[in-house]
Amino acid sequence: IISKHHSSLDTFNNFIEKFEKDKVVDKIIDIFTKEYKDVYKKGFTLGKNKIKKVCDFLKKYYLSKSDSEKSIYIYTYEKLMYSLLVACDFYGTSEFMNGTRINSFGEINDISEFYDIYKNTDVNKWIRKYEKNQYGNNKDLTNEKNINILRNEMFLDAERELIKNNRENICYLEAPTGSGKSNVAFNLSFKLFEEDKSLKKIYYVYPFNTLVEQNLRTLNETFGENKDVFQKIAIINSIYPIKTDEKYKDKNSENEKDYSYEYYGKALLNRQFLNYPIILTTHVSLFNTMFNSSKEDAFGFHQLANSVIVLDEIQSYKNTIWAEIISFLKGFAKILNIKVIIMSATLPELNVLSVNENETCTLIKNREKYFNNALFKERVEVNYELINSENQFEDLYEHVLFNSKKKKKILIEFIKKQSAYEFFKRLKDEELDIEVELMTGDDNSIERNRIISRISSKEANENGIILVSTQVIEAGVDIDMDIGYKDISKLDSDEQFMGRINRSCKRNGEVIFFNLDRVDKIYKNDFRVNKKLSLLDEEMKEILKNRNFHKYYEEVLRLIKEANESLNDNNLETFFKEDVWMLNFKAIENRMKLIEDNNFTMSVYLARELEYADGNNLVKLNGEEIWEEYKSLLKNTKMDFAEKEVKLSEVKSQMNYFIYEINKNVDLPYNDKVGELYYIENGEKYFENGKLDKEKFKNEVGMFIGL
C-alpha cells in the first residue's frame, strides 16, 4: 500500500516477486541501512535472509490458502487502507501548499436535520395519520381501489420489516411500478440512521442519469426551501459540474468571479473525496470507486464506510457479473458497516449467486398483497395481436394510425434507433392531427425535458400526443401514457416499459407488443436474450400477466450459475480465489466493468445555439463560445489547478449538450479537435425542428449510434 501511494494499484504477487530479485533487495537494504536512524529511535537490521523468510511465509501460509469469501475481506481491507493513505497524503499536501484545511468530511451528524423536514411533508403526514388510524387491521386489500392506501401499506410494511431486521446489512425492496419505491427508500435510509448511530452518509445510486435528475427534483421539492440542508446534497456523475459552496467566496474581491483559493480548493477536494452527506450518483461512478485500480478512483473508497447505499433498478446492471456484484456488496457491507437497500419492480434473487453466506432480509414479505392487486396487476391490458405479424413495420404503422384518432397519449418503443427514426419520419410525413415527438439517446437533457413537458401539458392530455422512443424511455422518464407499443426484448425491460402506461392507475391502459428487430444485436452477452425467456413463449406471457418474476429469474440465474461454474475465464471461484485473493487489481477492474469499452465509436461536438427555460429565466447556450472557453481553459498554464478543474467541470457540463457518439470514421471532415473530441462548426444545419436529421448527417459526416 505504501509503495503504491503515488501510483495505481496493480498486483500483490508482482510486489512480492520484486523482493526475490537480488538487485532490488540490495537497494532496499542499502536505503534502510543509511536512512533508518532518521526514522527509528532503536537499532534496526535488515538482511536478505529476513526478507526471504517473509516472502516464503507469505507463499506458504497466505498465497497457497485462497478462500473466495475471505478474498473479498482482504480486498476491502487493502482498498480501505490505500484510500485512507492517499486521502491523508492529499489533505496534508493541500494544507501545506495552499493552506486549505478540510474540517468536515461530509458526515451526517444529526439525521433529524433531514428527517424532520421529510416528516413534515404532506405525504408523510398522511401516511402517519393512516398508520395511527387504519394500519395493522389486516384488512383484505385485493379489491382496494385507492392506490394511495396501497402505497401507505407498502411504506409501513417496509419500515416495520427494516426495524425488525435492523442488524442485516443487505435488504431487498421489491414493489410494483407506481407504488412509490423512491419515497419508501428515502424514508428507509433516514430510518436506518435512527436505528444505527454509527451511520454517517447516504448514497442514492441509479443506472441512468435521467433517474438521477428525476430524484434530484424530488429531493428539491422536499428540501429545496431550506438552502443549508439542500446544499448538503450533491450529484456525482459525468454530467454535473463540481459542487461549490457560496460561503467560501472571497467577500473582499471586487470581481465576483475572482474567488479565493479556498473556494476552488475545497470544492475540488470535496468532489475527489466525496465529502457530501447525501450523494446522488450512477452505478458507473459507484463501481469506479469500488473497483477501479487508479489512485483517483480510490480517493473516495473510505467514504463508503458507515453509509447507507440505495441501489435502484438492479436488474439493469450487467447480468454477467450479478454474482460478483452481490458477493462484493455483502463483503463490503460486513467489513465497512454499510447498509444496502436493493430495489426494483423486477428483482432477481441474487443471494443464490453469492459466494458468501451473509444473511439478507426481504422488506416486503407478502408481495402478492401488492402485485396481485387489480390496480397494479390489471393496470395495463396486454395485447399480442401484432407479435406474429408477417409485416411488422406496416401493421404496426396502421395500428398506430387507428389509435391516433382517439386523442390518446401513445408511446412507441423500438429497440433499434434506426427503426425509431424511420417510424417517426413516416408519422411526420403523414401530417396527422396529433403531435408527434421522438426521444432517443441522441437527445440532450434540454430536448428530453422539453419533450416530457409537452407530454405532461394540458394540450397533450386533451388532444393526445405520440412519442416514438428507444429504450431510454424504460426507466428514469416520469411520464404517464394511455397506449403503449413495444418491440419485445428482455422480459424485465418489457415490464419496465409497461410502467410508463397508466402510471397513475386512474384509467384503462393498453400495451401492444410487436417483434421487429433482433434482440441479440442490441443486448450482447445477456443471459436474458433467449427466445424461451421472451414474450414469444407462452409461459413468459403468464409470468408477465401474474408479475411472477421470481419464476422468470430462476431460469436466468440458473444460466448465470452454469456460466460461473464453467471451466474457462468466466469461472467465479477462480476469479475470487486467484484474482481477488492475489489482489490483482487490474483483473478485478476489468471484470467489474459495467460498460465495456467501445473502440468502434468516436465523439463529435456539433456547435449550435440552444436555449431552455430555467424557472422563469431563459438560458441561452452558444456551442462555439463554450468550445472556445474549453480550449482556453486547457491552454491556461497559470491558473491554479483547483480553480482550473472546477471551471473545466462547469464547461464540460455545458459541452454535454453538444456531444454525440457516431461510428468511427477516419475520413471525418472536422474543423477542430481536442484529444479524441471532434469539433464541427455550423452544427445547426444537421438539425430539423430541433431533431437531428440523421440522413443528412450520415451522408455528409458519418453514422450515428446508440439508443
Side-chain angles (χ1 to χ4, degrees):
I1 296 167
I2 294 170
S3 73
K4 293 295 177 184
H5 84 285
H6 280 305
S7 60
S8 299
L9 294 165
D10 46 30
T11 73
F12 185 56
N13 200 42
N14 286 350
F15 180 73
I16 296 302
E17 286 179 353
K18 287 178 182 177
F19 282 96
E20 297 180 335
K21 297 176 181 178
D22 287 343
K23 289 183 180 180
V24 174
V25 171
D26 287 340
K27 187 176 181 181
I28 292 169
I29 293 171
D30 187 52
I31 291 171
F32 271 93
T33 302
K34 291 179 180 178
E35 307 293 339
Y36 85 89
K37 290 180 181 178
D38 294 330
V39 181
Y40 298 101
K41 299 297 182 185
K42 296 182 179 180
F44 179 82
T45 58
L46 182 69
K48 290 183 180 179
N49 289 336
K50 188 174 287 188
I51 292 175
K52 186 176 186 303
K53 283 181 180 179
V54 172
C55 293
D56 290 343
F57 177 86
L58 279 168
K59 288 184 176 180
K60 185 176 180 181
Y61 294 103
Y62 171 65
L63 301 182
S64 63
K65 296 184 178 182
S66 59
D67 179 286
S68 292
E69 184 172 349
K70 290 178 181 177
S71 71
I72 299 170
Y73 305 147
I74 292 165
Y75 172 85
T76 308
Y77 174 77
E78 176 92 354
K79 196 77 180 279
L80 176 64
M81 292 298 103
Y82 179 66
S83 177
L84 287 168
L85 178 60
V86 294
C88 291
D89 187 30
F90 258 66
Y91 286 139
T93 302
S94 295
E95 184 175 349
F96 178 78
M97 298 296 292
N98 306 295
T100 303
R101 175 179 289 188
I102 298 294
N103 297 313
S104 170
F105 301 101
E107 297 177 338
I108 298 175
N109 296 313
D110 183 5
I111 194 60
S112 63
E113 185 178 22
F114 295 94
Y115 210 1
D116 286 351
I117 296 173
Y118 176 80
K119 288 175 180 177
N120 202 40
T121 60
D122 291 339
V123 171
N124 192 72
K125 285 179 180 177
W126 166 251
I127 293 172
R128 295 308 174 187
K129 183 179 178 181
Y130 177 87
E131 179 184 25
K132 182 178 179 180
N133 299 324
Q134 299 182 58
Y135 182 63
N137 295 333
N138 295 320
K139 60 181 179 179
D140 185 5
L141 298 174
T142 306
N143 298 311
E144 177 60 58
K145 301 299 182 186
N146 185 345
I147 192 171
N148 286 325
I149 298 296
L150 290 166
R151 288 169 177 161
N152 293 347
E153 287 276 334
M154 193 189 78
F155 181 102
L156 296 167
D157 281 355
E159 182 182 83
R160 182 176 60 184
E161 287 299 322
L162 184 82
I163 295 170
K164 195 185 300 182
N165 297 279
N166 63 359
R167 296 182 67 85
E168 303 297 348
N169 290 322
I170 309 280
C171 294
Y172 294 100
L173 176 62
E174 182 182 22
T177 301
S179 60
K181 286 191 300 296
S182 293
N183 186 46
V184 173
F186 290 143
N187 177 62
L188 294 177
S189 59
F190 298 146
K191 181 62 68 175
L192 280 166
F193 274 73
E194 282 192 340
E195 298 294 314
D196 186 347
K197 302 302 181 185
S198 67
L199 297 173
K200 298 296 181 184
K201 198 178 294 279
I202 302 175
Y203 296 83
Y204 297 115
V205 185
Y206 307 97
F208 312 109
N209 283 316
T210 48
L211 270 170
V212 173
E213 294 168 4
Q214 180 180 306
N215 282 279
L216 179 66
R217 287 194 293 270
T218 302
L219 289 172
N220 188 29
E221 291 170 6
T222 304
F223 302 106
E225 291 186 7
N226 190 320
K227 290 187 178 180
D228 288 339
V229 171
F230 191 66
Q231 174 69 19
K232 296 178 180 180
I233 300 171
I235 289 182
I236 305 293
N237 64 6
S238 59
I239 294 177
Y240 275 72
I242 293 172
K243 188 176 183 68
T244 55
D245 193 336
E246 299 296 303
K247 70 183 180 185
Y248 291 118
K249 287 184 181 179
D250 186 351
K251 295 181 175 62
N252 298 318
S253 175
E254 294 180 2
N255 181 358
E256 65 175 359
K257 291 188 177 181
D258 183 23
Y259 307 144
S260 67
Y261 175 81
E262 188 174 35
Y263 175 77
Y264 293 111
K266 288 196 172 182
L268 180 59
L269 285 171
N270 287 336
R271 174 62 173 264
Q272 289 174 317
F273 295 99
L274 308 182
N275 292 333
Y276 313 105
I278 295 180
I279 294 172
L280 278 69
T281 189
T282 61
H283 59 344
V284 172
S285 294
L286 178 68
F287 274 46
N288 285 345
T289 300
M290 287 179 167
F291 303 113
N292 279 14
S293 58
S294 74
K295 179 171 65 174
E296 289 72 23
D297 284 312
F299 280 164
F301 186 83
H302 66 280
Q303 291 279 33
L304 299 177
N306 305 310
S307 68
V308 173
I309 300 178
V310 178
L311 296 174
D312 195 14
E313 307 294 359
I314 191 76
Q315 82 291 335
S316 66
Y317 293 29
K318 189 168 72 173
N319 67 6
T320 53
I321 57 170
W322 277 359
E324 292 89 332
I325 291 172
I326 190 59
S327 299
F328 273 115
L329 283 177
K330 281 186 173 184
F332 292 160
K334 181 177 179 179
I335 298 298
L336 301 177
N337 184 39
I338 301 174
K339 300 293 185 182
V340 183
I341 298 172
I342 300 174
M343 64 180 188
S344 178
T346 54
L347 192 58
E349 180 54 54
L350 297 177
N351 280 351
V352 302
L353 300 175
S354 177
V355 300
N356 28 30
E357 300 297 327
N358 310 19
E359 291 296 319
T360 62
C361 74
T362 301
L363 296 177
I364 303 298
K365 291 294 184 184
N366 183 8
R367 69 182 299 277
E368 287 71 25
K369 174 180 176 180
Y370 305 102
F371 282 91
N372 286 346
N373 182 277
L375 284 173
F376 295 124
K377 185 177 179 181
E378 299 171 15
R379 190 189 79 244
V380 175
E381 180 184 344
V382 180
N383 185 329
Y384 295 106
E385 64 181 86
L386 291 178
I387 208 165
N388 293 314
S389 164
E390 292 184 1
N391 196 338
Q392 291 281 323
F393 196 92
E394 291 301 322
D395 289 348
L396 170 65
Y397 184 72
E398 293 300 322
H399 210 283
V400 172
L401 285 185
F402 175 78
N403 275 325
S404 69
K405 299 171 185 176
K406 298 179 181 180
K407 293 190 174 181
K408 298 282 188 179
K409 294 163 76 172
I410 300 172
L411 173 62
I412 311 156
E413 183 195 307
F414 295 87
I415 59 174
K416 187 178 177 184
K417 189 165 65 172
Q418 187 61 36
S419 298
Y421 269 97
E422 290 174 5
F423 200 84
F424 170 73
K425 190 174 186 304
R426 181 86 173 269
L427 287 173
K428 293 292 281 186
D429 291 343
E430 190 76 26
E431 297 184 357
L432 302 171
D433 293 330
I434 186 172
E435 188 176 352
V436 181
E437 293 281 2
L438 171 68
M439 183 187 291
T440 74
D442 288 341
D443 295 314
N444 57 42
S445 60
I446 295 175
E447 177 67 359
R448 189 166 57 246
N449 290 334
R450 182 195 68 79
I451 294 169
I452 293 171
S453 179
R454 287 302 304 157
I455 290 170
S456 305
S457 67
K458 182 181 178 182
E459 295 90 338
N461 288 324
E462 291 177 352
N463 304 317
I465 191 170
I466 296 176
L467 174 60
V468 181
S469 175
T470 57
Q471 300 98 301
V472 294
I473 207 71
E474 287 174 10
V477 180
D478 190 10
I479 59 173
D480 189 1
M481 311 295 278
D482 301 311
I483 300 172
Y485 293 86
K486 185 181 185 303
D487 196 356
I488 62 170
S489 58
K490 302 175 293 185
L491 191 67
D492 38 16
S493 294
D494 296 338
E495 162 63 16
Q496 289 288 337
F497 172 82
M498 289 173 67
R500 311 304 119 195
I501 311 301
N502 191 17
R503 193 172 176 83
S504 62
C505 301
K506 293 180 179 178
R507 53 194 181 279
N508 295 321
E510 182 183 18
V511 168
I512 302 98
F513 287 105
F514 59 96
N515 183 24
L516 179 64
D517 292 316
R518 285 183 58 179
V519 183
D520 58 344
K521 296 290 184 181
I522 309 297
Y523 301 101
K524 296 178 180 178
N525 302 319
D526 194 307
F527 291 99
R528 291 165 290 188
V529 177
N530 183 324
K531 186 176 180 180
K532 287 186 177 181
L533 294 174
S534 77
L535 288 174
L536 295 174
D537 186 270
E538 293 301 317
E539 186 179 4
M540 292 301 116
K541 291 177 183 176
E542 281 298 308
I543 286 174
L544 185 64
K545 178 182 177 182
N546 297 311
R547 303 297 192 272
N548 185 16
F549 292 103
H550 284 253
K551 195 170 182 182
Y552 163 67
Y553 282 124
E554 276 180 10
E555 180 59 19
V556 176
L557 296 172
R558 185 190 67 79
L559 292 171
I560 294 173
K561 283 196 79 172
E562 208 172 81
N564 288 340
E565 293 167 0
S566 59
L567 299 176
N568 55 33
D569 292 341
N570 295 322
N571 187 275
L572 188 68
E573 187 176 10
T574 301
F575 169 65
F576 280 108
K577 286 191 173 183
E578 293 185 9
D579 290 331
V580 182
W581 183 265
M582 299 292 289
L583 297 172
N584 187 341
F585 286 93
K586 290 303 294 184
I588 297 167
E589 177 181 331
N590 292 332
R591 179 96 168 206
M592 299 306 294
K593 273 186 180 177
L594 288 173
I595 300 174
E596 298 297 333
D597 294 332
N598 191 337
N599 297 319
F600 304 103
T601 67
M602 60 195 299
S603 299
V604 295
Y605 183 102
L606 300 180
R608 52 197 286 250
E609 292 188 359
L610 297 172
E611 61 180 38
Y612 66 95
D614 182 12
N616 296 322
N617 301 319
L618 185 67
V619 179
K620 295 185 178 182
L621 297 174
N622 185 304
E624 182 181 352
E625 291 177 1
I626 292 169
W627 176 263
E628 291 302 322
E629 185 179 358
Y630 174 60
K631 289 203 305 178
S632 175
L633 278 170
L634 290 176
K635 292 176 182 177
N636 192 326
T637 57
K638 296 181 180 180
M639 187 180 292
D640 179 82
F641 176 75
E643 180 180 355
K644 188 172 183 177
E645 287 297 298
V646 172
K647 289 184 174 180
L648 274 173
S649 78
E650 293 169 348
V651 172
K652 286 177 181 178
S653 176
Q654 294 180 322
M655 290 175 69
N656 279 304
Y657 296 124
F658 305 91
I659 296 174
Y660 299 85
E661 293 294 313
I662 68 169
N663 286 330
K664 193 163 276 188
N665 178 2
V666 293
D667 299 319
L668 179 76
Y670 60 90
N671 304 101
D672 200 357
K673 181 186 176 186
V674 173
E676 293 303 312
L677 181 60
Y678 296 81
Y679 173 85
I680 297 175
E681 64 185 22
N682 300 321
E684 189 61 48
K685 69 180 181 179
Y686 301 113
F687 291 80
E688 185 176 349
N689 299 320
K691 308 300 294 185
L692 269 170
D693 185 336
K694 290 179 64 66
E695 287 302 315
K696 186 172 185 180
F697 191 91
K698 182 175 70 174
N699 292 336
E700 292 190 26
V701 179
M703 287 286 290
F704 270 85
I705 61 161
L707 302 179

